Amino acid sequence: MSVKILFIKCAVVFLNAIYCFMKLRRKRNKVTLISSQSDEPTLDILMLAEAIRRMYPDMEVTVLSGKMKRNLHGAFAFFGSLLSQMCHIAVSSAVVIEGYCVSVSLLTHKKHTTVLQMWHALEAIKKFSYQVIDTPAGYSRAFAYAMRMHRNYDYVLCPAKATAPYFCAAFDVDESKLVYLGLPRIDHISSVMSADEATDPRAGIEAMYPILKGKDRRTVLYAPTFRDGRPTDVEGLLREMDFERFNVVVKLHPSDRSDIAFRPPYAERLIVDRAYDTIDWFSACDVVITDYSGLAVEAAIAK
């Protein structure tokens, strides 16, 4: 057994010992929504929280978010966030997450605490989680089992029966746990594309980027997927673009914090946007280009 695996096993015992005292409190009519995708709650989490509050006014709703940073400060911050999650889960009737969540999978919860894995993608474009165990893109099998990856789920949202085998493999769950539903953002995409003049995000986008107001060029949105530790070759695409026919908007993945600075001739010819949500850009663009990303499905929903 490696030192890392031994440390994880000791940490699990330690956390469960703390959690035992937290579980002494009475369970409440409460649902806790946890987002580990970013430091701010995602659109899906916010929309779900709003819907629950509207449909079940007596239900207590708590939203927690935070992504672990790979440094010492981030580790301490994550531990504090972990304790907060444990406090809320201990008294919750239901927990909804949208990715692997340490506090959900590693701990032993009270009976009848319902856990729903919402995931953060509308489809199965790429292999993920248990599908990439023991590959360069994933963790080792020993590490995954030690971290109890994707354990303790009662339900897992799945886009459709066509994707059921892939979601079962990725989460290592039986098909009986799958619930065939889309994500809240589908409603948001529909609302953006059918918005009236007062609520259409296109007006704000064009006010910020007046070059888009011209009718002589079509607008191309380039939204590449996230490459952890590798830069995105945006210029490779730009070299092939005809800037006389197209406006080009580069929208990096939210997890990609690369500082893009282009040399002439591209510097004055394109937009690198971080102000608007990618979905909002659907109302202002004519073409979407992406690669191995669920954004292709979202763009298809937006037609």
Side-chain angles (χ1 to χ4, degrees), residues 214-225:
K215 303 299 183 181
D216 56 330
R217 287 193 296 268
R218 303 181 77 198
T219 297
V220 174
L221 174 66
Y222 176 46
T225 192

Side-chain angles (χ1 to χ4, degrees), residues 219-238:
T219 297
V220 174
L221 174 66
Y222 176 46
T225 192
F226 180 53
R227 294 162 170 79
D228 195 2
R230 291 188 292 134
T232 302
D233 182 22
V234 179
E235 290 199 23
L237 174 74
L238 300 181

Side-chain angles (χ1 to χ4, degrees), residues 249-267:
V249 179
V250 176
K251 187 69 182 173
L252 296 180
H253 189 280
S255 297
D256 190 340
R257 308 309 299 173
S258 302
D259 184 18
I260 294 185
F262 293 110
R263 300 180 299 275
Y266 307 128

Side-chain angles (χ1 to χ4, degrees), residues 25-144:
R25 295 173 297 161
R26 180 184 298 178
K27 186 185 293 186
R28 306 202 294 264
N29 184 28
K30 171 185 171 75
V31 58
T32 297
L33 287 71
I34 303 175
S35 173
S36 58
Q37 300 305 305
S38 63
D39 291 332
E40 299 296 328
T42 62
L43 176 63
D44 290 317
I45 289 288
L46 291 175
M47 291 185 67
L48 181 58
E50 179 185 355
I52 294 173
R53 292 184 178 115
R54 183 177 66 252
M55 297 172 67
Y56 305 97
D58 295 331
M59 176 79 73
E60 181 183 350
V61 180
T62 297
V63 174
L64 304 173
S65 61
K67 186 174 183 178
M68 183 177 177
K69 310 297 190 301
R70 296 179 181 178
N71 52 46
L72 185 60
H73 175 75
F76 280 108
F78 176 75
F79 183 70
S81 176
L82 181 60
L83 292 177
S84 175
Q85 293 175 13
M86 291 162 60
C87 285
H88 287 285
I89 294 172
V91 295
S92 294
S93 300
V95 182
V96 180
I97 59 177
E98 56 174 3
Y100 170 69
C101 182
V102 172
S103 55
V104 165
S105 291
L106 278 185
L107 302 175
T108 302
H109 304 291
K110 290 179 180 178
K111 288 184 178 180
H112 310 301
T113 299
T114 302
V115 176
L116 169 68
Q117 169 61 260
M118 189 164 67
W119 199 230
H120 55 266
L122 289 171
E123 69 315 292
I125 294 287
K126 297 174 285 194
K127 291 184 177 181
F128 62 99
S129 196
Y130 278 98
Q131 291 175 307
V132 292
I133 289 293
D134 288 333
T135 72
Y139 296 107
S140 69
R141 189 169 301 276
F143 181 82

